[in-house]
């Protein structure tokens, strides 16, 4: 149940994030080229996230290459999301308050770029290993080598660091942004209905309200 929940949540997030980016574009906070980039990223990320379902279609011990291909698509989607979010924070010039730290625009930009660069470094290694598995059906020798931590293989360390930058740190970033940025509000409304008929007051035609029930007191002609 964990992976479908993550998949659905990610797709919902991607849709809402695109909506927020579009609103920022209409307010003039981001340039046109970045908005067009965001449109491409949104479509690709959603498609790659949906493709993550391949890990349930192909069993790992029967077809490890195709099984891992779904996870490969998810890794590319997370890279695109990281780049998108970093560029958005930098271009909109946000500043944040985190714990006892007040991060102005310049400090926020430096932290954002540092996170993105480090994330790209570990993700490059992770993508290499995943692509190798998709192509050959088994992991690269690098993953099997002993690491500097006794009892841990290099592949385990790579996976742990990758999870740190793509699962743990994003949760912290999301919490900081949630507490500092203006929330996205979704409003569901219904236009005032027009009824055909004759009311008790003698009014008739399309402007007449219902003559009974709670609707009659809610809508006036």
């Amino acid at each position: 149940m964990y992976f479908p929940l993550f998949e659905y949540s990610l797709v919902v997030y991607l849709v809402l994030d695109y909506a927020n980016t579009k609103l920022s574009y209409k307010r003039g906070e981001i340039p046109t080229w970045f908005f067009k980039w965001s449109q491409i990223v949104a479509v690709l990320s959603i498609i790659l996230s949906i493709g993550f379902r391949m890990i349930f279609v192909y069993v790992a011990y029967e077809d490890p290459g195709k099984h891992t291909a779904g996870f490969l698509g998810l890794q590319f989607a997370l890279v695109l999301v990281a780049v998108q979010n970093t560029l958005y924070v930098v271009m909109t010039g946000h500043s944040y308050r985190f714990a006892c730290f007040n991060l102005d625009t310049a400090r926020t930009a430096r932290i954002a770029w540092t996170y993105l660069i480090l994330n790209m470094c570990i993700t490059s290694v992770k993508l290499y290993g995943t692509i190798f598995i998709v192509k050959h059906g088994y992991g690269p020798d690098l993953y099997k080598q002993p690491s500097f931590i006794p009892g841990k293989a290099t592949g385990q360390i790579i996976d742990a660091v990758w999870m740190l930058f793509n699962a743990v740190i994003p949760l912290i970033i999301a919490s900081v942004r949630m507490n500092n940025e203006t929330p996205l509000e979704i409003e569901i409304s219904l236009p005032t209905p027009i009824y055909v008929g004759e009311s008790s007051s003698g009014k008739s035609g399309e402007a007449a309200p219902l003559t009974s029930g709670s609707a009659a007191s809610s809508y006036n002609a």
Side-chain angles (χ1 to χ4, degrees):
M1 290 296 295
Y2 168 76
F3 286 113
L5 179 62
F6 172 77
E7 173 192 346
Y8 299 148
S9 300
L10 179 58
V11 172
V12 171
Y13 165 77
L14 291 171
V15 173
L16 295 178
D17 185 62
Y18 171 74
N20 181 63
T21 303
K22 186 174 182 178
L23 292 174
S24 296
Y25 173 69
K26 289 186 175 182
R27 292 193 297 263
E29 297 175 350
I30 56 177
T32 302
W33 72 264
F34 180 69
F35 178 61
K36 291 182 178 179
W37 151 267
S38 300
Q39 292 176 311
I40 298 174
V41 168
V43 174
L44 289 178
S45 298
I46 291 175
I47 293 175
L48 292 172
S49 299
I50 295 175
F52 180 62
R53 184 158 296 276
M54 287 181 62
I55 70 171
F56 305 105
V57 178
Y58 298 98
V59 183
Y61 55 81
E62 292 181 354
D63 196 336
K66 293 180 180 179
H67 173 83
T68 310
F71 187 50
L72 177 62
L74 178 65
Q75 291 179 33
F76 275 113
L78 293 178
V79 169
L80 292 175
V81 171
V83 174
Q84 164 74 13
N85 288 344
T86 301
L87 292 178
Y88 177 84
V89 169
V90 172
M91 289 189 174
T92 53
H94 277 91
S95 58
Y96 301 93
R97 179 178 177 81
F98 175 62
C100 59
F101 301 99
N102 288 318
L103 305 176
D104 57 16
T105 302
R107 291 179 179 176
T108 299
R110 286 196 294 268
I111 293 175
W113 284 118
T114 301
Y115 161 75
L116 181 61
I117 292 173
L118 294 177
N119 190 11
M120 293 295 288
C121 290
I122 186 61
T123 298
S124 298
V125 179
K126 181 68 174 177
L127 286 175
Y128 159 74
T130 308
I131 292 173
F132 190 96
I133 296 174
V134 171
K135 183 178 180 180
H136 300 284
Y138 56 89
D141 293 336
L142 172 65
Y143 272 38
K144 305 172 186 177
Q145 298 296 323
S147 68
F148 60 91
I149 299 179
K152 296 291 184 180
T154 302
Q156 292 176 286
I157 303 301
I158 294 174
D159 289 345
V161 176
W162 182 84
M163 284 293 294
L164 174 66
F165 277 89
N166 290 274
V168 179
I169 295 180
L171 288 177
I172 299 175
I173 295 175
S175 177
V176 173
R177 293 184 62 184
M178 179 184 66
N179 293 324
N180 287 271
E181 295 183 13
T182 303
L184 179 65
E185 296 182 0
I186 300 176
E187 179 180 333
I188 301 177
S189 61
L190 179 68
T192 302
I194 301 298
Y195 302 101
V196 178
E198 183 175 345
S199 67
S200 58
S201 60
K203 295 181 180 180
S204 61
E206 294 186 353
L210 290 176
T211 57
S212 63
S214 60
S217 60
S218 300
Y219 299 108
N220 297 319

